[in-house]
Amino acid sequence: MNLRASLVTICTVVLTAAALVSPGMADTGRGAGGLMPVPDKVSLLEGRFRVNESLAIAGQGPASPRAFHAAARFMSRLAGRTGLFLTQDYLESQALSDKAAVIYSFARVGKLEPNEDESYSLSVKPDGISLAGATDIGVVRGLETLLQLLSADEAGYYFPCLSVQDKPRFTWRGLLIDVGRHFEPVDVIKRNLDGMAAVKLNVLHWHLSEDQGFRVESKVFPKLQQLGSDGQFYTQDEIRDIIAYAADRGIRVMPEFDIPGHSTSWLVAYPEYASAPGPYGIERHFGVFGPAFNPTDERVYGFFDRFFKEMTGLFPDPYFHIGGDEVSPDQWNTSKAIQAYMKKHGLANNDALQASFNRRILKILTKYGKRMVGWDEIFQPGLPTNIVIHSWRGTEALVQAAQKGYQGILSNGYYIDLCQPAAEHYLNDPVPAGSPLSDAEKTLILGGEATMWGEMVTPETIDSRIWPRTAAIAERLWSPASVKSVDDMYRRLALVQVDLEELGLTHIKNQAVILRGLAGAVDVRPLEVLAEAVEPLKGYERGSQGVTYSTLSPFTRFADACFPESLVARDFRARAGRFLETRDPVLAAELRATLIRWKTNHPLVLPCLAASPALREVEGLSMALESVSGLGLEALAFLVSGKAPEKGWAEGRAKVLEEAKKPKAHCRLAVVEAVEKLVDACGPAAK
Amino acid sequence: MNLRASLVTICTVVLTAAALVSPGMADTGRGAGGLMPVPDKVSLLEGRFRVNESLAIAGQGPASPRAFHAAARFMSRLAGRTGLFLTQDYLESQALSDKAAVIYSFARVGKLEPNEDESYSLSVKPDGISLAGATDIGVVRGLETLLQLLSADEAGYYFPCLSVQDKPRFTWRGLLIDVGRHFEPVDVIKRNLDGMAAVKLNVLHWHLSEDQGFRVESKVFPKLQQLGSDGQFYTQDEIRDIIAYAADRGIRVMPEFDIPGHSTSWLVAYPEYASAPGPYGIERHFGVFGPAFNPTDERVYGFFDRFFKEMTGLFPDPYFHIGGDEVSPDQWNTSKAIQAYMKKHGLANNDALQASFNRRILKILTKYGKRMVGWDEIFQPGLPTNIVIHSWRGTEALVQAAQKGYQGILSNGYYIDLCQPAAEHYLNDPVPAGSPLSDAEKTLILGGEATMWGEMVTPETIDSRIWPRTAAIAERLWSPASVKSVDDMYRRLALVQVDLEELGLTHIKNQAVILRGLAGAVDVRPLEVLAEAVEPLKGYERGSQGVTYSTLSPFTRFADACFPESLVARDFRARAGRFLETRDPVLAAELRATLIRWKTNHPLVLPCLAASPALREVEGLSMALESVSGLGLEALAFLVSGKAPEKGWAEGRAKVLEEAKKPKAHCRLAVVEAVEKLVDACGPAAK
C-alpha cells in the first residue's frame, strides 16, 4: 500500500486566523487547515490525539439535553466517517466519566436570542480533549470544530493538538428558506438545519407565506391552509418539531409572514380582506402581483390580531418578520375607498399608507411580546427604533438605518438563488472596511442572512442551490473580517462540501439523479463531464429566455442539474491564471488533461441526447465546449512551445469564443473567459 | 445530432404476458418492453400517442381524492421525466374535461383490504388514452403502467398504442420494514411507499417493536416509547400521516408488535410483565434474547388489552400482526412459577404455553375487530382458522397450514436483507408449479412479503437493500406465473431502478455518498469501479467475520456502499456465459473492455486508501480484482485466438482463483466464477 504520509507542519506559535489558513497548512492530513468557518484564534501544538474504538465523550453542566444530544451526534458522525466501532453506548444523559478522553463542559443553558454567548474554547492534547463553552450552544459549536479537525495518517485517525478560542463576529447568521413559492417538506428543512449547524449558522428565517402558497396550519383560520396551499403546508406539530430540532442545534427559527403584499394565497380564503374584490386563486407564476391586504379596513386588523396571537404562540423566537416588501400599488391606487381614506387621514402616498399599516401591526406584535422585523420598505418615518430592518437593498440602507438607531440585518449580496460565485458573497461584508458607522452604531448591524428564494427550486434541487456556497457566507458572518483569502476559502469549501453530505444533504448526489431521470438507463457520465464546465444562467437571466416558469414547471432539466458554481470550472480558471503568471509546466499538463477530457466529450454525450428529447437542448452547449476546449489546447501548445501563432490566428478564433459565450439550454460555459485569456496570451495580435 | 431511431416492432396480435417481454421488444424506445410488473394481458397496436405540453388528464368516478391525487403525481412525474412545461393547472378535484386526452374512470372507491379489486384496463390510441379501473385503486395501478410506457423517438416523447387488461395474481403483495432494530424516519418510509406503489405492491408490513426499540407513541403507556426508543419513535400524528399517505397510493399498512419474545425494549419500561425480574436495558446487539412476556401473569393480558385497544384504533387495517417468532425458552424454563403454571394447566411444553398466550391475545384482537397474523410459530393446535400464518420457514409450512384451512403469506425466499440475487427471489413462487394444494386451498395463499430486516441497515443504506431487487418480488406476486425469464427480468430491472430514483429513493446515489464520507475530497470513482465487481457477504456470513455488530455500529464502510447485487457483475457473468456458448467476437470485445477497466483500477484506488484508514481494508479486494481480471484477459486471449495455453497454465491459476473467492472487507468478488469458467474453457487441463 502506497500511503502518502500526511505531515502537517507543527508549530507552537499563536497564529492569527488569517495566518492559519495559509496554503502551507493544507495537507492530506487536513489538520487545522480544513476549518470552516475559521475560528477567532488558534494555537497549533505538537502531537496528535489518536482516535480509536475506545474514544468516549462525557460532559458536565446544568441539566440540558442540547449538549449531550450534540455529543451523541458527534459520536455517530465520527463513527460514520472513520468506520470505527466505537464502544461507548448511546448517550442518554450528561454524566462525567473517568474513562472519557473527550470532556465538554458549560456554565449555563444558552438562550435562543441575539447576542447570546456562543463562544467556546477547545484544547486538544495527546491524552485528552476538553471543550468548554460559556453556554451549551458554545459546546454545540465547538463539537463541529472538533469534527472538522479529524485527520488521518498511516497509523490511523487523529485530531491534531491545538488550542482554539472562538466566538462569532456577528450574532445573527441566518439562512432564509422560502417555502411559499415551492413547498419544502419537513425532511428538507431538517437536513438543512443540520447543514447550518455544521457551519455555525444560527437563524433559520422561514419565509412561510407567499402569493404561491400559505404554508402553516392555522387552527383559528384553517381556510388559510385549506384553500391556500394545495395541501402543502406544515402542521403545527411539525412546526413545533422543527423548532425543537433547530433549538437542539442552537438555531433560532424566525417566521416570516409577508404582508400586506405577496399575499395572494391568503386572499383565496379571505378575499374580503383584500384591497379589491376577489375571487382570488393561488398564484402559479412569479413576480410582483396586485393583491394586497386593505390597510384601511378595521376588520383586517382584527384578523391579524387573532392570527398573530396564534402564531406568536406557536413560534417562540422573540423576533417576528412581517415581510413588507414589494407591495404592488395597483389595488391601492384604483380603490376609491382607499384613496378617500388616505386623503382623510393625510397619508400622502402608498409608503405612508404602508407605514400606517405597519404601525398597527407593530402594536399587535408588541402586545404579544415580539420584536418586529421587516424588509427595507418598513424603514419609514414614524416607526420606533425597536424594529429591525432587513436589507435586500444593500449596506447603505443599513448604514442609514443604524445612524437613526435601528438594528439591521444584511441580505443584499447574499442572494444565493441567483447562482453567483461563492467568492462574491464571501467578500460582501455587513460592515465593510471603511464603514462610516461609529463603533456604537456598528453594534446595531446584527449580521446577515443568505436568502434561498424559492422560484426555481424544488425539494430535489434546493440543497445544491444552498450548499456549499452558503458555507462561505457562514464564514463571512462568523470569522474575523481579516479572513478573506478567496483561494483558501475555495480550498476549504471543497472539503466542507463533502462533509455536508453525511447530513443527508443532496447538493452533490442529485446532479446524477436529475440527469438519469432524463436519460434513463443510458450512462450519464458524459453529461457530468459537460456539467463540469457549465453553470446555469445567473441573476435573473434565466427568467428571460422565452420560457415562462411557474410553480408547476419541471425543474429537472440540464440547467437544474448543473451546480450554481462549478468548482471544477473555478479551479480550471484559477489554474489557467496561475499558469499565465508562472508558465509552470505542471500546470500546463493539468490544464491540457482537463481540456482533452472536455474536447473529446461531445461524441459520448450523443447517446444521452438520442434517448432523451429533453436533453437535446444541450447539443449546442456540448459542441461549444468541444470547440472552446480545442482552442484552449491550441493556445496552450503555442504557450508551452514558445512558438507564435500565425498572423490572424487569434482573430479567427474570436468568433468561436463569442459564440461560446452565448446562453444555451439556460446555461453558460464557465470556462470561455479562461480560454480567451490563454488565446490572448499567445501574442499581441490577439486583441 | 445522431439520433438512433427507436423502432419498436409493431404488431396487432394479442400477446401473452410472457411473449410480451421477449428480447425482441427491447429497444431504445422502451415501448411496452419496460413494464414491471408485466401486466396480465397486453395487445400492441399500431401508432403512437404524442406527449406534448398540452397533455391534460381528467377523470370521473365517485368522490375520492385517491385517483386525482394519483393523476396529479402522474402529471408531475411526467413533467419531470420529459422536462415539458405541461400547461394543465394543479389538479384540485376530479372533473371531466373536453380538453383532456387522458381520461381515467372508476366505478367505486376501493377498500384497503385483501381481495379488493385492483384491476384496470388501459387503452392508448393515437388521439387519446383511457384508463378504467373497477376501483380508484385500479386507476392508481394503471397510471404507474402508463408512466412506464413513456418512450422517446426523434420527434419527441410518446406512449406506444396498446391495450392492457391487468390484474394481480396475488392479493397480498407486501414489503416488511423493520424499524425496531434501526429506526427509519418518516421520509424514509414515505419514499419507500412511493417505490412500492411504482411496482404495485400493496401492503406495508411495519415491524414496529423489537428488542432494540419500541417505535410507536403510546398515550396509554407513554413509558414504552420514553424508555424503550432512545427518542426514536413515530408520534401518533406521524403514524396517521403515513397511513394516509399509503392509503392515497392504495397501500395497506399492517402493524406488527412482536410478542411474547423479541420484546426487551417494552420490558425496559415494564419489567414486571417479563418472565424474570429485570431491570432491562434496550438491547444493542442482534440475535434471539432471553426476555419474554410472562404468559402466566393475568396482569400481562390486562396490559395488552389496554395497549391493543389503543393500537387497533390507531391502525385501521383489518389485519394485525403479533409476531410470535423465536421466543427464547430461557426465562420460561428457569421460572419456577411458570413451570408450576404449566404443570397445573397441563401445558406440555413452551409451544403449548405460547399457544395459550396466543389464544388470549387472539381474543383481545378479535374483540377490537382485527384478524390476527403471526409467524409460523403461531400455527399451533387449538387456534381457529381465521388467523393468518406468515411463513418465514417456507412454502411447505404454508401448504400444511392451507390444508388445515388457514390463510398464509410467504416470506421465506424473500429475505432481501440477506443480499441474495434478485433472480433467487424472482423464481420463488408462493404457489409453485406442482403444488399439492387443491384450487380451493390455493386461494388461501394470499401472497407474499419481501422482508427488510433491520440489523444491518440505516436510513442511508436501507433503500439500496430494498431496491431494485424488491421490484422482482413485486413482479412475482403481481404477474402471471408464466412470466419467469430471468434475463428479461434483469433487463427491465435496469430500467426500473432508474425510474425509482425520481421518488427520492437513494439506492443508487448513496453509494458515492458513503464512499466520499470515508475518502473525503479524494476522487472516489476508482472505488465505484471496484464496487462494480463486488457484493457484500450474503446470508448471515457478514455476522461471522469477527466483528460484533450493534445498533450503534457504523454502516458506512465499503461493504455498505456496495449494492447487494451488482448488475454490472451480473451482466458480465451473463455475457461471459453467452460468449462461451457462441464465441461471438463482439461479446469478447465487451468482456475485454470490462476486464481492462478492472485490471487497471488498483493503482487508482490507492489515493483513497491513503486518505482513509477505514478504506484500507479493501486493498486485498482491489488487488484480487486486478489478478482475476488479468487472468480473465489471458483466458480470453486464448479463447479468441484459438491457441491452447501451455501445459499447467490453468493449474497455476487455480490458486489465484481460490484466493480471490475468499471474503475480504465483508465482501466477495462477484466475477471470479465467471473468470473461472473462461479459464476452464481454455482446455481440458483446467480441471
Side-chain angles (χ1 to χ4, degrees):
Chain A
M1 185 161 11
N2 173 23
L3 297 181
R4 284 177 287 154
S6 61
L7 301 169
V8 176
T9 309
I10 303 298
C11 53
T12 52
V13 293
V14 176
L15 296 170
T16 64
L20 176 71
V21 297
S22 65
M25 292 303 306
D27 207 328
T28 56
R30 191 156 171 173
L35 295 177
M36 190 166 203
V38 167
D40 193 45
K41 285 194 188 72
V42 178
S43 312
L44 296 177
L45 303 169
E46 235 167 302
R48 293 171 181 199
F49 174 96
R50 308 302 320 183
V51 176
N52 57 44
E53 299 192 346
S54 67
L55 183 141
I57 189 167
Q60 58 183 337
S64 153
R66 188 184 282 141
F68 78 77
H69 283 173
R73 292 195 301 276
F74 169 84
M75 292 295 284
S76 164
R77 290 160 69 192
L78 186 69
R81 289 187 192 189
T82 60
L84 287 171
F85 284 53
L86 304 174
T87 52
Q88 187 174 34
D89 197 2
Y90 183 79
L91 298 178
E92 288 176 334
S93 66
Q94 200 149 265
L96 259 188
S97 154
D98 288 347
K99 289 177 199 153
V102 184
I103 304 289
Y104 68 83
S105 62
F106 58 100
R108 63 179 175 81
V109 175
K111 289 182 195 148
L112 287 169
E113 56 185 39
N115 295 314
E116 179 53 293
D117 193 331
E118 299 176 79
S119 70
Y120 66 91
S121 62
L122 173 67
S123 161
V124 179
K125 294 180 180 168
D127 57 348
I129 295 174
S130 68
L131 167 65
T135 65
D136 52 355
I137 299 175
V139 171
V140 172
R141 305 288 174 255
L143 285 169
E144 294 292 346
T145 301
L146 183 55
L147 210 50
Q148 288 185 341
L149 289 168
L150 181 69
S151 303
D153 60 18
E154 288 202 42
Y157 291 101
Y158 71 92
F159 293 116
C161 289
L162 46 58
S163 158
V164 172
Q165 299 290 329
D166 200 9
K167 63 177 197 313
R169 179 172 166 223
F170 292 104
T171 191
W172 191 300
R173 305 179 308 280
L175 170 63
L176 177 152
I177 299 183
D178 167 13
V179 298
R181 292 176 173 91
H182 277 100
F183 183 68
E184 302 294 342
V186 170
D187 58 306
V188 175
I189 303 298
K190 283 189 174 177
R191 70 190 185 220
N192 277 287
L193 283 166
D194 280 310
M196 291 173 68
V199 294
K200 301 184 172 63
L201 290 173
N202 68 352
V203 182
L204 171 66
H205 173 161
W206 209 358
H207 185 85
L208 288 162
S209 70
E210 258 305 336
D211 296 303
Q212 296 82 4
F214 185 92
R215 306 302 185 190
V216 175
E217 176 193 29
S218 169
K219 299 193 182 197
V220 180
F221 300 104
K223 282 201 292 175
L224 284 170
Q225 75 271 12
Q226 284 164 5
L227 301 180
S229 77
D230 299 313
Q232 297 193 304
F233 64 91
Y234 306 102
T235 66
Q236 294 200 359
D237 279 341
E238 288 173 333
I239 288 169
R240 276 186 283 268
D241 180 38
I242 283 174
I243 291 170
Y245 194 90
D248 217 32
R249 287 146 182 81
I251 296 175
R252 297 166 43 209
V253 176
M254 177 181 66
E256 177 183 348
F257 293 95
D258 199 351
I259 51 172
H262 284 281
S263 53
T264 308
S265 67
W266 312 53
L267 302 171
V268 179
Y270 297 98
E272 60 270 33
Y273 300 144
S275 302
Y280 298 95
I282 295 176
E283 182 57 55
R284 301 296 181 205
H285 293 91
F286 304 117
V288 175
F289 299 98
F293 278 97
N294 183 348
T296 72
D297 185 341
E298 230 9 72
R299 293 175 310 164
V300 167
Y301 300 105
F303 165 79
F304 278 121
D305 194 316
R306 292 177 63 197
F307 178 73
F308 285 138
K309 182 179 179 185
E310 183 185 22
M311 291 299 138
T312 54
L314 181 60
F315 292 94
D317 199 77
Y319 289 72
F320 204 96
H321 203 299
I322 60 142
D325 56 318
E326 300 178 325
V327 184
S328 160
D330 295 1
Q331 291 196 337
W332 292 355
N333 288 351
T334 55
S335 160
K336 281 183 190 163
I338 291 175
Q339 291 299 317
Y341 178 96
M342 288 169 69
K343 209 165 190 174
K344 184 176 162 195
H345 291 83
L347 299 168
N349 53 32
N350 286 344
D351 286 352
L353 181 60
Q354 193 181 347
S356 78
F357 175 81
N358 289 342
R359 279 191 297 273
R360 294 292 300 271
I361 297 297
L362 174 65
K363 221 168 168 176
I364 295 168
L365 291 176
T366 306
K367 180 166 74 174
Y368 296 122
K370 300 295 182 186
R371 288 190 66 166
M372 188 168 98
V373 188
W375 299 101
D376 289 298
E377 287 92 331
I378 74 160
F379 178 42
Q380 287 152 357
L383 283 162
T385 56
N386 64 351
I387 65 168
V388 180
I389 309 301
H390 187 177
S391 185
W392 62 272
R393 289 182 175 157
T395 49
E396 276 176 43
L398 282 189
V399 165
Q400 285 170 27
Q403 285 170 340
K404 292 199 169 141
Y406 290 88
Q407 291 185 327
I409 311 158
L410 183 67
S411 274
N412 178 290
Y414 300 136
Y415 268 40
I416 50 177
D417 61 313
L418 301 186
C419 295
Q420 307 287 4
E424 205 158 298
H425 304 308
Y426 189 62
L427 298 176
N428 180 52
D429 198 314
V431 183
S435 163
L437 295 178
S438 69
D439 284 352
E441 285 163 352
K442 281 179 186 169
T443 65
L444 295 172
I445 310 298
L446 300 177
E449 286 184 3
T451 53
M452 184 66 256
W453 296 113
E455 284 90 343
M456 295 281 191
V457 294
T458 65
E460 286 70 44
T461 62
I462 189 169
D463 295 4
S464 74
R465 274 49 192 155
I466 296 176
W467 307 106
R469 294 174 305 139
T470 294
I473 298 173
E475 175 156 294
R476 174 56 47 238
L477 298 173
W478 177 283
S479 301
S482 57
V483 177
K484 54 185 183 188
S485 158
V486 166
D487 282 344
D488 196 72
M489 178 273 287
Y490 276 113
R491 180 185 63 74
R492 288 173 295 119
L493 203 63
L495 301 173
V496 167
Q497 76 162 346
V498 176
D499 294 347
L500 288 167
E501 284 199 281
E502 84 189 340
L503 306 168
L505 289 164
T506 65
H507 52 299
I508 300 174
K509 66 185 177 183
N510 273 11
Q511 174 172 88
V513 171
I514 294 171
L515 297 174
R516 282 192 292 264
L518 296 174
V522 179
D523 183 8
V524 298
R525 272 172 290 191
L527 293 172
E528 294 179 279
V529 170
L530 175 60
E532 290 175 352
V534 167
E535 291 173 1
L537 293 179
K538 298 180 187 305
Y540 297 102
E541 196 177 1
R542 189 166 172 191
S544 63
Q545 298 294 302
V547 179
T548 304
Y549 289 92
S550 81
T551 52
L552 301 170
S553 301
F555 291 92
T556 56
R557 291 172 80 156
F558 186 73
D560 302 295
C562 290
F563 302 129
E565 176 172 30
S566 164
L567 295 185
V568 176
R570 197 263 159 196
D571 187 56
F572 178 83
R573 295 194 301 269
R575 278 185 294 154
R578 287 204 303 279
F579 168 73
L580 288 174
E581 279 172 27
T582 62
R583 303 295 162 113
D584 178 346
V586 174
L587 284 168
E590 289 169 0
L591 291 169
R592 210 176 110 78
T594 304
L595 287 166
I596 288 173
R597 182 168 75 241
W598 290 341
K599 172 149 174 39
T600 55
N601 192 55
H602 182 62
L604 309 177
V605 164
L606 291 175
C608 298
L609 310 194
S612 167
L615 281 167
R616 290 172 196 167
E617 64 179 355
V618 308
E619 189 185 25
L621 200 61
S622 180
M623 289 169 67
L625 180 62
E626 186 179 38
S627 311
V628 165
S629 306
L631 195 49
L633 285 167
E634 287 178 42
L636 204 55
F638 286 126
L639 294 171
V640 168
S641 69
K643 285 184 197 154
E646 291 167 29
K647 202 164 176 291
W649 172 82
E651 290 84 341
R653 270 65 186 171
K655 229 167 125 181
V656 172
L657 292 168
E658 283 319 301
E659 175 60 27
K661 284 179 187 171
K662 290 183 190 157
K664 291 176 186 72
H666 312 285
C667 296
R668 265 207 179 82
L669 290 179
V671 296
V672 183
E673 288 73 11
V675 169
E676 194 167 30
K677 279 184 196 158
L678 294 175
V679 170
D680 286 355
C682 289
K687 270 285 164 193
Chain B
M1 187 160 17
N2 172 26
L3 296 181
R4 283 177 288 154
S6 59
L7 300 171
V8 175
T9 310
I10 302 297
C11 54
T12 53
V13 294
V14 175
L15 297 171
T16 64
L20 175 70
V21 298
S22 66
M25 292 304 305
D27 208 328
T28 56
R30 190 157 171 171
L35 294 177
M36 189 167 204
V38 167
D40 192 45
K41 285 196 188 69
V42 178
S43 313
L44 295 177
L45 302 169
E46 234 167 305
R48 294 171 180 199
F49 174 95
R50 309 299 323 180
V51 176
N52 57 43
E53 299 193 345
S54 67
L55 183 141
I57 188 166
Q60 59 183 336
S64 152
R66 188 184 281 141
F68 78 79
H69 283 173
R73 291 195 302 275
F74 169 84
M75 292 296 282
S76 165
R77 289 161 69 192
L78 187 68
R81 289 186 191 189
T82 61
L84 287 171
F85 284 53
L86 304 175
T87 52
Q88 187 174 34
D89 198 1
Y90 183 80
L91 298 179
E92 288 174 335
S93 66
Q94 200 150 264
L96 259 188
S97 155
D98 288 347
K99 289 176 198 154
V102 184
I103 303 288
Y104 68 84
S105 63
F106 59 100
R108 62 178 174 82
V109 175
K111 289 183 197 147
L112 288 169
E113 57 186 40
N115 296 315
E116 178 52 293
D117 193 331
E118 299 176 78
S119 69
Y120 66 91
S121 61
L122 173 68
S123 160
V124 179
K125 295 181 180 168
D127 57 348
I129 295 173
S130 68
L131 168 65
T135 65
D136 52 356
I137 299 175
V139 171
V140 173
R141 305 286 175 257
L143 286 169
E144 295 292 346
T145 301
L146 183 55
L147 209 50
Q148 287 186 342
L149 290 168
L150 181 69
S151 303
D153 60 17
E154 287 202 44
Y157 291 101
Y158 71 92
F159 292 115
C161 289
L162 45 58
S163 157
V164 172
Q165 301 290 329
D166 200 11
K167 63 177 197 316
R169 179 172 167 224
F170 293 103
T171 190
W172 192 300
R173 306 179 306 281
L175 169 64
L176 176 153
I177 299 183
D178 167 12
V179 298
R181 292 176 173 89
H182 277 101
F183 183 68
E184 301 294 342
V186 170
D187 58 306
V188 175
I189 303 299
K190 284 189 174 174
R191 70 190 185 221
N192 278 288
L193 284 165
D194 281 308
M196 290 172 68
V199 295
K200 301 184 173 63
L201 290 174
N202 68 351
V203 182
L204 170 65
H205 173 162
W206 209 357
H207 185 84
L208 287 162
S209 69
E210 258 304 335
D211 296 303
Q212 297 81 5
F214 185 93
R215 306 303 185 190
V216 175
E217 176 192 29
S218 168
K219 298 193 183 199
V220 179
F221 300 104
K223 281 200 291 174
L224 284 169
Q225 75 272 11
Q226 284 163 5
L227 300 180
S229 76
D230 299 314
Q232 297 193 305
F233 63 92
Y234 307 102
T235 66
Q236 294 200 358
D237 279 341
E238 287 172 334
I239 287 169
R240 276 186 284 268
D241 181 39
I242 283 174
I243 290 169
Y245 193 91
D248 217 33
R249 286 148 182 80
I251 297 174
R252 298 165 44 209
V253 176
M254 176 180 66
E256 177 184 351
F257 293 94
D258 199 351
I259 52 173
H262 284 282
S263 54
T264 309
S265 66
W266 312 53
L267 302 172
V268 179
Y270 296 98
E272 61 269 33
Y273 300 145
S275 302
Y280 298 94
I282 296 175
E283 182 57 55
R284 301 296 180 202
H285 293 92
F286 305 118
V288 175
F289 299 98
F293 278 97
N294 184 349
T296 71
D297 185 340
E298 224 19 65
R299 293 176 309 164
V300 167
Y301 300 105
F303 165 80
F304 278 120
D305 194 315
R306 292 177 64 198
F307 178 73
F308 284 138
K309 182 178 182 187
E310 181 184 21
M311 291 300 137
T312 54
L314 181 61
F315 292 93
D317 199 78
Y319 289 73
F320 204 96
H321 204 299
I322 60 140
D325 56 317
E326 298 179 326
V327 184
S328 160
D330 294 0
Q331 291 197 337
W332 293 354
N333 288 350
T334 55
S335 161
K336 281 180 190 164
I338 291 175
Q339 291 300 316
Y341 178 97
M342 288 169 70
K343 206 162 191 178
K344 184 176 161 194
H345 291 84
L347 300 168
N349 53 31
N350 286 343
D351 287 351
L353 179 61
Q354 192 180 347
S356 77
F357 174 82
N358 289 342
R359 279 192 296 273
R360 293 292 299 272
I361 296 297
L362 174 65
K363 220 169 172 177
I364 295 169
L365 291 176
T366 305
K367 180 168 73 174
Y368 296 122
K370 300 295 181 185
R371 287 190 67 166
M372 189 168 97
V373 189
W375 299 100
D376 289 297
E377 286 91 332
I378 74 160
F379 178 41
Q380 288 152 354
L383 282 162
T385 56
N386 64 352
I387 64 169
V388 181
I389 309 300
H390 187 176
S391 185
W392 62 272
R393 289 183 177 158
T395 48
E396 275 177 45
L398 282 188
V399 165
Q400 286 171 25
Q403 286 171 337
K404 292 201 169 139
Y406 290 88
Q407 291 186 325
I409 311 159
L410 183 66
S411 274
N412 179 289
Y414 300 137
Y415 269 38
I416 50 177
D417 60 313
L418 301 186
C419 295
Q420 307 288 6
E424 203 158 300
H425 305 307
Y426 189 62
L427 297 176
N428 180 52
D429 198 313
V431 182
S435 164
L437 295 177
S438 70
D439 283 352
E441 286 164 350
K442 279 180 186 168
T443 65
L444 294 172
I445 310 296
L446 300 178
E449 287 184 4
T451 53
M452 184 66 255
W453 295 113
E455 283 90 343
M456 295 281 190
V457 294
T458 65
E460 287 70 44
T461 61
I462 189 169
D463 295 4
S464 74
R465 272 53 192 153
I466 297 176
W467 307 107
R469 294 174 304 139
T470 295
I473 298 174
E475 176 157 294
R476 173 56 46 236
L477 297 173
W478 177 283
S479 302
S482 57
V483 177
K484 55 185 182 185
S485 157
V486 166
D487 282 344
D488 196 72
M489 178 274 287
Y490 276 112
R491 181 185 62 75
R492 289 173 294 118
L493 203 62
L495 301 172
V496 167
Q497 74 163 347
V498 176
D499 294 348
L500 289 168
E501 283 199 282
E502 84 190 340
L503 305 168
L505 289 165
T506 65
H507 52 299
I508 301 174
K509 66 185 177 181
N510 273 11
Q511 174 171 87
V513 171
I514 294 171
L515 297 174
R516 281 193 292 265
L518 295 174
V522 178
D523 183 9
V524 297
R525 273 173 290 192
L527 293 172
E528 294 179 281
V529 171
L530 174 60
E532 290 175 352
V534 167
E535 291 174 1
L537 293 179
K538 300 182 186 302
Y540 297 101
E541 195 178 3
R542 191 168 171 190
S544 63
Q545 298 295 301
V547 180
T548 304
Y549 289 91
S550 81
T551 52
L552 301 170
S553 301
F555 291 92
T556 57
R557 292 172 78 157
F558 186 72
D560 303 295
C562 289
F563 302 130
E565 177 172 30
S566 164
L567 295 185
V568 176
R570 197 265 157 194
D571 187 56
F572 177 84
R573 293 194 302 267
R575 279 184 294 153
R578 288 204 302 279
F579 168 74
L580 287 174
E581 281 171 25
T582 62
R583 303 295 162 112
D584 179 345
V586 174
L587 284 168
E590 288 168 358
L591 290 170
R592 211 177 110 77
T594 303
L595 287 167
I596 288 173
R597 182 169 75 242
W598 290 341
K599 170 148 175 37
T600 55
N601 192 55
H602 182 62
L604 309 177
V605 163
L606 292 174
C608 298
L609 309 194
S612 166
L615 281 166
R616 289 173 197 168
E617 64 180 355
V618 308
E619 189 186 23
L621 200 62
S622 180
M623 288 168 66
L625 181 61
E626 185 179 38
S627 311
V628 165
S629 306
L631 194 50
L633 285 167
E634 287 177 42
L636 204 56
F638 287 125
L639 295 170
V640 168
S641 67
K643 287 184 196 153
E646 292 166 28
K647 198 164 180 291
W649 173 83
E651 291 83 340
R653 270 65 185 171
K655 229 167 123 181
V656 171
L657 293 168
E658 283 320 300
E659 174 60 29
K661 285 179 186 172
K662 290 184 188 157
K664 292 176 186 70
H666 312 284
C667 296
R668 263 205 182 83
L669 289 179
V671 295
V672 182
E673 289 71 13
V675 169
E676 194 167 29
K677 280 184 196 156
L678 294 175
V679 170
D680 285 355
C682 289
K687 272 282 166 196

